[in-house]
């Protein structure tokens, strides 16, 4: 049976935020006003109970089904799809303060010469200027916030954030195995990030505002 997608009832707010992001994605890269996509995901640390049997010329590596949990951590990802650049940081937690430090790094280390950095992100409660004031003194928080412009995905529209694509690639290429400690996880992700940045791997986003008005006309008809 062919799968039928259920489109939730949405209003003008969804359409406005969707078109805002699609127009942003259509802009050529401007180093004075760059845009980046930001997202995060939890990551479970898992270790083997029994030592895996190494692969041989006629036999693949064998891993026992049983595993043990070694805790969890968080992955923050920043990606600029047009430049083919991404940055993934492993943290122990995902708090407002952790988010604030990600924004500080973005402003001060990644794009220090930019007039403003436009950030695509979802509506998680820690994603906002208030997190900066929780983490820093008001003067420092205001300095950073003045260089940021947040563009939020609509509710039920997280697929519009290209950082989700990057996290999906990371999961398939790097996290599709058991990693039992945070130091090893950092090393593996750093190597993956380095290779993708050296290759300047981009994301070819083809969905435009015109496409949305044609293919998702039911969303507009509900308004």
């Amino acid at each position: 049976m062919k799968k039928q997608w259920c489109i939730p009832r949405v209003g003008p707010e969804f359409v406005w935020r969707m078109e805002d992001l699609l127009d942003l994605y259509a802009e050529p890269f401007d180093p004075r006003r760059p845009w980046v996509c930001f997202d995060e995901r939890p990551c479970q640390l898992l270790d083997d109970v029994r030592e895996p049997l190494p692969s041989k010329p006629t036999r693949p590596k064998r891993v026992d089904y049983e595993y043990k949990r070694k805790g969890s951590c968080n992955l923050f990802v920043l990606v600029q799809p047009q430049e083919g650049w991404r940055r993934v940081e492993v943290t122990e937690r995902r708090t407002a303060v952790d988010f604030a430090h990600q924004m500080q790094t973005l402003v001060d280390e990644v794009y220090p010469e930019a007039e403003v950095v436009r950030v695509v992100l979802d509506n998680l409660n820690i994603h906002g200027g208030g997190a900066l004031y929780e983490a820093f003194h008001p003067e420092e928080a205001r300095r950073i916030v003045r260089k940021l412009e947040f563009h939020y995905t609509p509710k039920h529209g997280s697929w519009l954030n290209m950082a989700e694509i990057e996290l999906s690639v990371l999961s398939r290429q790097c996290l599709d195995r058991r990693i039992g400690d945070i130091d090893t996880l950092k090393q593996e992700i750093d190597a993956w990030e380095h290779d993708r940045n050296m290759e300047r791997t981009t994301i070819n986003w083809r969905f435009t505002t015109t496409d949305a008005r044609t293919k998702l006309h039911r969303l507009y008809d509900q308004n």
Side-chain angles (χ1 to χ4, degrees):
M1 181 181 296
K2 185 177 180 181
K3 181 184 292 185
Q4 296 293 322
W5 293 103
C6 177
I7 299 178
R9 287 193 63 83
V10 296
E13 179 79 11
F14 183 100
V15 174
W16 164 55
R17 291 191 182 277
M18 176 179 66
E19 292 199 350
D20 173 60
L21 296 181
L22 295 180
D23 287 349
L24 186 67
Y25 292 166
E27 291 185 16
F29 180 75
D30 182 354
R32 297 170 303 173
R33 304 181 73 247
W35 58 266
V36 298
C37 295
F38 175 87
D39 204 0
E40 66 269 287
R41 57 152 283 187
C43 184
Q44 223 176 30
L45 300 172
L46 303 174
D47 206 356
D48 294 304
V49 174
R50 297 175 180 82
E51 190 71 22
L53 298 177
S55 61
K56 295 181 179 180
T58 59
R59 179 180 295 170
K61 178 181 177 180
R62 289 180 290 176
V63 179
D64 191 85
Y65 72 93
E66 191 176 1
Y67 61 87
K68 53 187 174 182
R69 301 179 187 275
K70 301 296 290 290
S72 63
C73 58
N74 175 71
L75 308 180
F76 285 119
V77 61
L78 286 161
V79 57
Q80 210 306 312
Q82 295 165 313
E83 285 196 297
W85 168 90
R86 73 275 302 139
R87 179 178 183 271
V88 183
E89 184 170 345
V90 182
T91 62
E92 294 183 359
R93 297 169 300 277
R94 183 192 64 180
T95 67
V97 172
D98 296 310
F99 169 77
H101 283 285
Q102 292 296 309
M103 295 300 101
Q104 183 187 49
T105 298
L106 180 62
V107 165
D108 291 345
E109 298 181 20
V110 181
Y111 292 115
E113 304 300 323
E115 298 172 4
V116 63
V117 183
R118 296 171 290 174
V119 186
V120 175
L121 67 177
D122 62 28
N123 292 273
L124 191 66
N125 60 347
I126 65 173
H127 291 170
L132 280 298
Y133 284 86
E134 184 174 339
F136 306 114
H137 291 298
E139 295 81 5
E140 174 68 359
R142 188 60 187 163
R143 179 189 70 82
I144 299 171
V145 168
R146 290 180 66 181
K147 292 193 67 176
L148 294 171
E149 182 181 293
F150 295 127
H151 293 256
Y152 293 99
T153 59
K155 187 177 181 181
H156 304 299
S158 61
W159 55 272
L160 288 161
N161 189 345
M162 279 195 260
E164 286 204 350
I165 298 175
E166 195 68 23
L167 279 172
S168 176
V169 175
L170 172 63
S171 297
R172 296 194 309 270
Q173 295 183 349
C174 185
L175 306 180
D176 59 343
R177 53 207 162 93
R178 294 172 188 166
I179 300 177
D181 63 89
I182 199 167
D183 290 334
T184 301
L185 180 65
K186 289 179 178 179
Q187 294 173 9
E188 295 296 318
I189 289 180
D190 285 347
W192 174 88
E193 175 190 305
H194 176 268
D195 289 345
R196 287 199 38 105
N197 284 339
M198 288 295 292
E199 295 174 1
R200 299 184 66 85
T201 305
T202 60
I203 296 174
N204 184 16
W205 183 270
R206 298 182 180 181
F207 192 62
T208 66
T209 299
T210 301
D211 294 329
R213 293 175 181 176
T214 302
K215 298 178 180 179
L216 302 180
H217 60 88
R218 283 182 290 174
L219 299 183
Y220 292 82
D221 294 343
Q222 295 177 35
N223 300 327

